[in-house]
Every structure is written in C-alpha cells, then in structure tokens.
Amino acid sequence: PRVEANDSSVTMIFAAQSVIKMLQEQQHESRQLQSAIHPFLSDPQVNEIDARKRFEMEVFPDQHAIDSYKYYHDLTGTNPNLSFTIGDFVSTYSQQSKQNQYDVVATSFFIDTATNIYEYIYMMKHMLDTNGIWVNCGPVQWHPCALLRPTVEQLKDMLQVAGFDLISWSIADEAVAYRHPDDVGGAGSEEARYTRSEAYRPLRFVARLLASQDDDGNCNDEDLA
C-alpha cells in the first residue's frame, strides 16, 4: 500500500522525513538510531509545578515507531511506501489528478483548521473513491477565522447529507492532553506538570463515501448547500 502525508508546514515535513530516514537507516544497518530533544525547555515560566520537569528529555523515534517499522519490514521485506506533499490541503488536493484516487483518508487534529468546513467535506468527496473511508480523530476547536463553527451534532448532519455513511461516531470519554499525558495529571502515576492544563475530548468517526448519482464522481454542490 502507498501512504501519502500532507502538511502546509515545511518544518513539520522536514521533521517527519528525518524520523523516517532514521528508521530506514537503522533497519539497513541493524543499529538503533535515535535523537534526543528537550521539548519543555522553552515553555513560558508560568503555571509550573516542578522546575525539574522542564529539563526532561524525550527520545525519538520512540520504541513504538521502531517496533512498527521493523514489523512491517519483516512482514513484507520492503520499506513502507510513504511520500509527502507540502502545501495547503485544499489547493493541493482539489486538482483533477487527485479525484477518486484514495481508498482511505485519515485526518488527525485537522478538520477544525478549516475556515470553511464545507470545503473539507467537498475535498473528501473529491479525493475518495466510491466506498472510500474517512477516519477522523480530533477536537472541533474551530479556527478563529472560520466562517462556520458547527457543533458535533451539526457536523454529523453535514456529513450524512453530503453522502457519507457513518460507520462509527463517538466522543472520547476522557480528556486527552494536547501535548503530553502529564499535562493534565491524574492519569496513572504521572503528576501534573502545570497548574493549568489544555486537553480535549476528541471526536472520533469512521465514514464511508456512498455511491453518488453523479456518474463522473464529482461532488454535487447542491448536496452541501
């Protein structure tokens, strides 16, 4: 299978490619390659409980990524087929060459970046083949410049009217810390990192694109009106 990732940030893509390259090299050279960062070092000095936590180190790729890559390589004998595109999501995937080209699209902490959520729904209909699957996980903290800010229930209605069959639809019972599990504390043995925390109960859904009455696969604008 071929996987294509998209991001408008050159920095994010560069970081992702660096991790993939490290995984590839350690697979070929049979030695573990990892780098270390101190992600909390430059945090603002407010709401801090224990200054020692500021100097904690994180190692990447983490063991889960290493094990997953090795499992795939051992199973198939090849490296994962992963490519990247850099650019605005709508501009990149609205091209005719992208129409009906994807069996699955996964959006993680993404849909609330839309200034017009109808554009994103249209793009999913444009990209996915018939019976294609849209998998989503993330909050609905809409962009400050968003023209529409639907509730979860309103978004559900939008997807159904647009021609998606909702296989599953739920909101997480527990809040998920935006950056690090101990940002919120109270989970497991980790103590809270700050006196203030930021967390979300992600909206999780799996939607299937149903066959359209429009034979050429184009989205009918009236469906989204």
Side-chain angles (χ1 to χ4, degrees):
R2 179 175 62 86
V3 177
E4 181 176 304
N6 169 258
D7 203 296
S8 60
S9 169
V10 176
T11 303
M12 294 288 284
I13 291 294
F14 177 77
Q17 286 182 319
S18 297
V19 172
I20 293 296
K21 185 176 180 181
M22 292 170 68
L23 290 169
Q24 291 175 339
E25 289 181 353
Q26 71 178 10
Q27 186 65 43
H28 292 306
E29 299 176 12
S30 299
R31 63 188 181 93
Q32 190 159 304
L33 299 174
Q34 290 179 305
S35 293
I37 59 173
H38 293 79
F40 309 105
L41 198 59
S42 60
D43 277 4
Q45 292 178 319
V46 294
N47 292 306
E48 197 169 29
I49 296 176
D50 187 345
R52 290 173 297 182
K53 281 182 169 287
R54 172 180 293 273
F55 302 97
E56 288 180 345
M57 181 181 68
E58 296 289 342
V59 176
F60 69 93
D62 60 18
Q63 195 59 46
H64 178 72
I66 294 171
D67 292 343
S68 297
Y69 195 97
K70 184 178 185 302
Y71 176 79
Y72 183 92
H73 188 274
D74 291 346
L75 185 67
T76 66
T78 62
N79 293 322
N81 188 0
L82 177 62
S83 61
F84 297 91
T85 61
I86 304 175
D88 174 71
F89 172 68
V90 174
S91 299
T92 301
Y93 291 96
S94 60
Q95 302 172 29
Q96 190 69 23
S97 61
K98 300 293 186 180
Q99 184 175 338
N100 307 132
Q101 294 300 304
Y102 300 89
D103 297 317
V104 179
V105 174
T107 51
S108 177
F109 280 68
F110 173 71
I111 62 172
D112 55 356
T113 64
T115 53
N116 185 345
I117 185 58
Y118 280 127
E119 282 189 325
Y120 280 13
I121 297 174
Y122 176 89
M123 291 312 308
M124 295 302 168
K125 294 194 68 174
H126 176 76
M127 296 166 59
L128 287 170
D129 201 358
T130 301
N131 292 319
I133 299 295
W134 178 5
V135 181
N136 176 77
C137 178
V140 289
Q141 181 173 292
W142 300 107
H143 192 281
C145 297
L147 302 176
L148 298 171
R149 300 177 184 180
T151 65
V152 168
E153 289 303 311
Q154 289 170 336
L155 181 62
K156 183 178 183 180
D157 291 340
M158 288 178 178
L159 265 62
Q160 290 175 320
V161 170
F164 285 94
D165 173 33
L166 302 181
I167 300 172
S168 67
W169 186 277
S170 64
I171 298 175
D173 293 330
E174 295 184 1
V176 177
Y178 186 69
R179 297 195 312 166
H180 193 278
D182 67 4
D183 280 358
V184 293
S189 59
E190 291 288 350
E191 295 182 356
R193 182 177 295 273
Y194 305 108
T195 57
R196 180 183 183 276
S197 63
E198 184 177 11
Y200 301 91
R201 290 182 173 84
L203 166 63
R204 297 166 176 165
F205 67 76
V206 178
R208 179 189 292 111
L209 179 62
L210 301 176
S212 173
Q213 294 180 352
D214 189 358
D215 292 336
D216 63 6
N218 289 322
C219 175
N220 186 343
D221 291 339
E222 293 180 358
D223 291 342
L224 299 179

